[in-house]
Amino acid sequence: RRVVVLISGSGSNLQALIDEQTHDRLGGEIVAVISNEPEAYGLQRARDAGIDAVVLPHREYESRDAYDGALIKVIERHEPDLIVLAGFMRILTPRFVQRYFGRMLNIHPSLLPAYQGLNTHARALADGVAEHGCSVHFVTEELDGGPVVVQAEVAVAADETEESLKAKVHAREHLIYPIAVKWFLEGRLKLEAEGATFDGMPL
Ligand code: GRF
């Protein structure tokens, strides 16, 4: 089973997936990493692991649709079973989302449906919530709105800062994303008309 990972930045979630692959625990192979940002550190992580690292800068395309068309072409060359968004900071067109419907996962730093969008940690802190966390979900046309697959919670401490909260959540992301990817690659996780299922049971 073949996986293509899309990134824009540090790629620490990508690293968590690479680490599983290195130990033969991913249930598939990351065949390419694609970044829209030429300077993304995750590209180096891919190269260090011997994975094809591709830069596709969005600034070189005149429209979102042109970019997504180019992205599809690069992705298709690698014949993936699964697309993993790991800090890919681009809004995808409906055409792109439809093409990979049921075959694309994202990780988001909040307990969805709470705090969709950006600056999740600052907003959670400002609200004074006791619990925060991260979610893996299938990607649908609704931004950060697709069916949730797995979540991890963290307790928000009294003296929590945005940085400390972000670090806590990030550590949890690195635990749950490889699990969700493995479930998918093992054929246990599916997106059905009614939503996500695990071993045939609604999630
Ligand atoms: C993570 O916080 C993830 O939830 C969000 O983007 C960030 C990516 O971090 N979608 P990294 O590049 O994997 O370190």
Side-chain angles (χ1 to χ4, degrees):
R1 308 277 277 162
R2 300 166 64 82
V3 182
V4 167
V5 183
L6 306 190
I7 61 164
S8 300
S10 148
S12 67
N13 280 287
L14 165 67
Q15 188 66 55
L17 296 168
I18 290 174
D19 291 347
E20 289 303 291
Q21 172 167 317
T22 305
H23 291 95
D24 265 337
R25 287 192 301 236
L26 194 62
E29 190 191 347
I30 303 168
V31 291
V33 171
I34 305 172
S35 173
N36 64 309
E37 295 287 356
E39 302 300 324
Y41 180 61
L43 289 164
Q44 191 58 43
R45 297 181 191 269
R47 289 187 203 108
D48 288 347
I51 298 168
D52 207 351
V54 183
V55 180
L56 194 67
H58 60 278
R59 293 176 190 88
E60 292 177 9
Y61 293 83
E62 61 186 15
S63 67
R64 207 173 271 288
D65 200 51
Y67 182 73
D68 280 9
L71 191 53
I72 288 172
K73 273 200 187 130
V74 176
I75 290 173
E76 287 308 306
R77 282 211 289 272
H78 297 280
E79 301 180 344
D81 299 291
L82 174 67
I83 312 294
V84 171
L85 306 182
F88 187 61
M89 302 304 283
R90 299 272 309 162
I91 292 173
L92 297 162
T93 54
R95 158 163 91 115
F96 187 96
V97 172
Q98 278 156 20
R99 179 168 193 121
Y100 297 110
F101 190 81
R103 297 188 286 147
M104 181 156 55
L105 295 172
N106 182 42
I107 189 152
H108 183 77
S110 78
L111 296 172
L112 291 171
Y115 306 114
Q116 299 172 341
L118 297 173
N119 301 318
T120 59
H121 309 303
R123 285 153 61 207
L125 271 184
D127 286 349
V129 296
E131 313 245 280
H132 185 48
C134 49
S135 311
V136 177
H137 65 93
F138 276 108
V139 177
T140 62
E141 283 183 47
E142 192 192 337
L143 186 67
D144 301 326
V148 171
V149 165
V150 56
Q151 298 183 308
E153 284 183 6
V154 302
V156 179
D159 61 350
E160 204 77 69
T161 64
E162 192 181 335
E163 277 312 300
S164 65
L165 187 55
K166 187 176 172 185
K168 268 192 204 172
V169 171
H170 235 136
R172 293 296 200 287
E173 291 181 23
H174 303 155
L175 292 179
I176 65 171
Y177 215 1
I179 292 173
V181 168
K182 189 179 164 72
W183 284 345
F184 183 90
L185 295 174
E186 288 173 342
R188 305 179 74 180
L189 185 63
K190 292 206 166 77
L191 182 57
E192 318 270 8
E194 326 75 59
T197 62
F198 179 68
D199 283 349
M201 303 290 286
L203 278 169

